[in-house]
Amino acid sequence: MALHLDNTTQQNVNQWLSGAYDAETKSQIQQLIDQEDQITLTDSFYKSLEFGTGGMRGEMGVGCNRMNRYTVGAATQGFANYLLTVLGNQKIKVVIAHDSRNNSPEFCRIAADIFTANGIEVYLFPALRPTPQLSFAVRHLGCHAGIVITASHNPKEYNGYKAYWSDGSQVVAPHDKNIVAEVNAILSVDDIKFQGNDALLHLLDDQIDQEYLKTIQANCRQPEVIQRQKDLKIVFSPIHGTGITLVPKALALLGFTSVHVVQEQAEPNGNFPTVIYPNPEEKEAMTLALDQAKALDADLVIATDPDADRVGAAVKSPSGEWQLLNGNQMASLILYYLLKVDKKLGRLTGKEFVAKTIVTTDLIDKMCAQQGVPCYNTLTGFKYIAQVIRELEGKEKFIGGGEESYGYLIGDAVRDKDAVASCAMIAELTAYAKDQGKSLFDFLAEMYIENNFYYEGLISLTKKGKAGAEEIKQMMINLRSNVPASVAGSKPVKVLDYEGLQSTDLTTGQVNPIVEGRGIEASNVIQLILADGSKVSARPSGTEPKIKFYVSVNAPLASAADFDTTFSSLQAKVKTIQEDLGLK
């Protein structure tokens, strides 16, 4: 068969075959042409890999829609151009890190060379390190920006590029869109300065590790409890990622002496040979850790994703079965512990706050209100939580916060989700529970007995292609214009529409503005609040052909013995809400 490529794809292929690209790249393209591999050619060249507001992510390979030295190069040259435009004649400094994925070290070095070629000083981690340490290093080293080469918990075929600003947060407005514009302005490979200047390159040593670990040690609330429970049995898996570099060290620094690393997943490996997806949200990725926990009769299982910004955990139920905790449960447990202990230690002075995303459990809001601690709700994405921390810096103290997608942060030394610090805090709160003769499961039940059992269900609907995008758009229009009279037997009483930044009280008809700022801006998100305290949030994904519905329900929990029964009834209620709203 002959190749039939559309005009844009063919033009991009021709540009790469005739431009200043290396011989190996051109050879690979020619091979695809000779094999008449129309599918791969089209997917690799039909568009340019998008550099979005937080960076970019894509499959690795040749072509303008793939992660390779040239797309990484264009992103970095655009970022460098923006820094030079905004910061002028300053001595500009950037710090760069990478994870365990295939090609990450090479992409990292390419980015470093391009920055130095543009006269920008680079501080480079010589070996893989967690993303939160990159965030820490930006501020600790006084850098103007940072990047980390990672695709988080995506499959092995992917890699990516996250961009950070001087506060250690992923870039936000106005820098995000301005950087995107500069990256899009790189129209030719000839615009990219690949020839680095080693005089401007500084390799970091393990001193930066020690400084980062000190901040984690400073988060520790009750070292005496850890000392009494230092033999707490912890099973840890880095799932072939960067967590191996610092999580065991952090746990040892706090005093834990019985940490068991899952050896089959200890070696950093971009092929992630023991899992389908290197994602601690997936039970399959936790199988080896859970098997080891059963064999050891462990107290806690924790696992980090490849760039160690997310952490999954598992607890042993009274029946002896291990069960995974979801992101809402773990975020709640961390805040339940911090608020409880900080109150006991006299650390709550009226100047503290918590931050979380609007789709994360309202249980956290309830616990904060009981302690008189403000809980700021932001749009989805940790950069918005970091924005709140930045705005309140010097006025209020950040205790901690998180989001339902397994990302948590304790203290403000880092400005992104931090699985290393979270692993340490999860171990501490487990030791605290054990010190009281309780398991982590008992601690979870105690929190629910005091505050109600909150359960959150995520319904993610994939709608591919142009037709799918139109369907998602129509679903949001329908929600805005046709609020149901009843959902699961409960009447909607309030609608929060973040696109129009307005809140409507359905019982009185009163419309109030949703105040912009502190992590809130116009965004295509709608929330229905029901009379019984349930909540449904609808949010189209910004990066995938999906629309996500976050359903939150709650009910009293009389005792730990009622846990399974209450849990089942809440699950059934989420299913009823899904059916009533026709989410399929």
Side-chain angles (χ1 to χ4, degrees):
M1 75 174 209
L3 284 170
H4 297 287
L5 302 177
D6 66 74
N7 287 339
T8 301
T9 303
Q10 189 64 62
Q11 285 173 10
N12 287 335
V13 169
N14 294 344
Q15 184 183 1
W16 279 57
L17 284 173
S18 61
Y21 296 86
D22 65 274
E24 175 62 23
T25 292
K26 291 182 178 181
S27 172
Q28 289 178 37
I29 298 169
Q30 191 60 51
Q31 194 173 2
L32 291 172
I33 294 170
D34 294 342
Q35 293 169 349
E36 297 186 344
D37 190 345
Q38 182 154 330
I39 292 173
T40 303
L41 270 171
T42 299
D43 200 35
S44 300
F45 286 96
Y46 83 99
K47 66 172 185 174
S48 293
L49 187 62
E50 184 180 351
F51 189 93
T53 54
M56 64 183 183
R57 192 177 297 182
E59 291 186 42
M60 291 175 277
V62 296
C64 50
N65 191 36
R66 292 284 188 262
M67 282 288 295
N68 52 59
R69 67 179 278 110
Y70 300 106
T71 52
V72 168
T76 307
Q77 185 64 58
F79 198 1
N81 289 349
Y82 181 67
L83 289 168
L84 291 165
T85 300
V86 171
L87 301 172
N89 296 322
Q90 292 185 53
K91 183 179 176 183
I92 304 171
K93 300 191 294 183
V94 171
V95 59
I96 306 176
H98 69 82
D99 70 3
S100 62
R101 287 178 179 272
N102 296 330
N103 297 315
S104 281
E106 293 82 357
F107 292 160
C108 192
R109 187 57 199 246
I110 288 164
D113 285 343
I114 292 168
F115 278 126
T116 60
N118 282 274
I120 294 170
E121 282 201 70
V122 170
Y123 293 84
L124 181 66
F125 283 93
L128 76 167
R129 282 296 183 273
T131 288
Q133 191 180 10
L134 181 280
S135 170
F136 168 79
V138 170
R139 294 173 66 245
H140 183 74
L141 297 169
C143 290
H144 299 89
I147 65 167
V148 59
I149 303 296
T150 178
S152 191
H153 53 281
N154 275 53
K156 64 182 179 181
E157 295 82 11
Y158 286 75
N159 214 322
Y161 185 114
K162 290 181 183 177
Y164 290 77
W165 201 245
S166 57
D167 66 334
S169 161
Q170 287 193 56
V171 290
V172 294
H175 306 301
D176 50 4
K177 291 179 175 60
N178 293 341
I179 293 168
V180 171
E182 288 286 358
V183 173
N184 291 339
I186 306 296
L187 301 178
S188 166
V189 67
D190 299 318
D191 296 334
I192 305 169
K193 300 177 182 177
F194 282 106
Q195 194 61 46
N197 176 2
D198 285 351
L200 295 176
L201 183 67
H202 312 283
L203 295 181
L204 295 167
D205 57 25
D206 64 2
Q207 183 61 37
I208 193 78
D209 294 350
Q210 305 311 316
E211 296 298 328
Y212 171 60
L213 287 169
K214 278 181 193 172
T215 69
I216 293 173
Q217 189 173 27
N219 288 335
C220 179
R221 299 306 204 261
Q222 301 187 100
E224 70 284 357
V225 169
I226 295 175
Q227 187 55 37
R228 288 195 295 270
Q229 301 296 336
K230 62 183 179 182
D231 57 352
L232 185 83
K233 284 186 191 170
I234 303 168
V235 172
F236 166 65
S237 173
I239 315 182
H240 305 290
T242 60
I244 192 62
T245 61
L246 290 176
V247 172
K249 288 180 181 177
L251 293 170
L253 186 64
L254 263 63
F256 292 105
T257 60
S258 187
V259 178
H260 305 266
V261 176
V262 178
Q263 289 306 314
E264 300 96 319
Q265 296 177 327
E267 189 73 27
N269 187 329
N271 292 318
F272 310 112
T274 65
V275 298
I276 298 171
Y277 298 109
N279 183 356
E281 296 180 52
E282 303 284 344
K283 188 171 184 180
E284 179 269 336
M286 302 281 281
T287 301
L288 289 173
L290 291 169
D291 288 346
Q292 190 164 328
K294 290 170 192 170
L296 285 169
D297 190 27
D299 298 293
L300 173 66
V301 173
I302 43 179
T304 52
D305 69 342
D307 69 325
D309 63 354
R310 298 171 195 244
V311 55
V315 299
K316 192 162 55 177
S317 70
S319 65
E321 289 299 309
W322 282 88
Q323 63 184 62
L324 301 179
L325 296 179
N326 64 37
N328 283 301
Q329 289 173 317
M330 185 47 74
S332 299
L333 274 174
I334 290 171
L335 270 304
Y336 178 59
Y337 173 72
L338 289 173
L339 290 166
K340 180 186 283 277
V341 173
D342 281 0
K343 183 178 183 182
K344 183 181 82 172
L345 297 175
R347 293 172 64 125
L348 298 183
T349 65
K351 292 286 188 181
E352 293 74 29
F353 72 96
V354 163
K356 69 175 187 67
T357 65
I358 57 175
V359 296
T360 301
T361 179
D362 290 341
L363 172 56
I364 294 173
D365 300 80
K366 184 175 182 179
M367 293 189 297
C368 286
Q370 288 171 352
Q371 302 297 347
V373 173
C375 179
Y376 298 107
N377 282 270
T378 75
L379 295 180
T380 302
F382 238 86
K383 63 183 181 181
Y384 294 110
I385 292 176
Q387 193 176 40
V388 177
I389 296 172
R390 182 173 67 251
E391 286 182 22
L392 295 175
E393 200 161 11
K395 304 172 204 166
E396 297 181 31
K397 185 176 175 59
F398 178 66
I399 297 174
E403 58 185 6
E404 45 73 41
S405 54
Y406 290 64
Y408 325 110
L409 179 61
I410 298 97
D412 64 0
V414 167
R415 301 299 168 89
D416 204 350
K417 46 190 179 286
D418 186 346
V420 184
S422 298
C423 282
M425 187 53 68
I426 293 165
E428 180 180 341
L429 69 87
T430 306
Y432 172 76
K434 191 170 185 181
D435 204 47
Q436 296 182 321
K438 300 173 185 173
S439 68
L440 190 53
F441 183 91
D442 296 329
F443 200 51
L444 180 72
E446 175 189 295
M447 177 179 70
Y448 287 150
I449 290 166
E450 288 182 20
N451 300 284
N452 272 17
F453 193 142
Y454 279 72
Y455 171 67
E456 286 76 27
L458 173 61
I459 300 149
S460 186
L461 305 179
T462 300
K463 307 284 183 181
K464 291 185 177 179
K466 185 183 179 192
E470 288 297 322
E471 190 177 350
I472 288 172
K473 184 179 178 182
Q474 191 59 48
M475 289 173 85
M476 295 298 286
I477 290 171
N478 291 344
L479 263 177
R480 286 191 168 93
S481 58
N482 301 305
V483 176
S486 177
V487 181
S490 185
K491 186 179 178 182
V493 292
K494 185 185 283 189
V495 176
L496 300 169
D497 188 343
Y498 287 88
E499 188 168 71
L501 288 174
Q502 61 182 32
S503 167
T504 305
D505 186 326
L506 297 176
T507 58
T508 65
Q510 185 174 351
V511 178
N512 292 314
I514 296 173
V515 180
E516 215 169 345
R518 291 203 178 147
I520 294 294
E521 60 190 25
S523 183
N524 191 13
V525 182
I526 306 169
Q527 294 185 309
L528 300 182
I529 312 298
L530 308 185
D532 66 0
S534 301
K535 182 168 78 173
V536 180
S537 307
R539 172 182 163 263
S541 172
T543 57
E544 300 171 287
K546 291 180 178 179
I547 182 169
K548 295 181 178 181
F549 291 86
Y550 306 80
V551 181
S552 176
V553 294
N554 70 89
L557 180 64
S559 70
D562 297 323
F563 190 98
D564 289 343
T565 307
T566 306
F567 185 33
S568 295
S569 69
L570 291 171
Q571 284 180 306
K573 186 168 184 179
V574 168
K575 192 166 178 28
T576 302
I577 291 173
Q578 180 179 1
E579 290 167 354
D580 282 5
L581 291 175
L583 305 180
K584 56 187 177 182

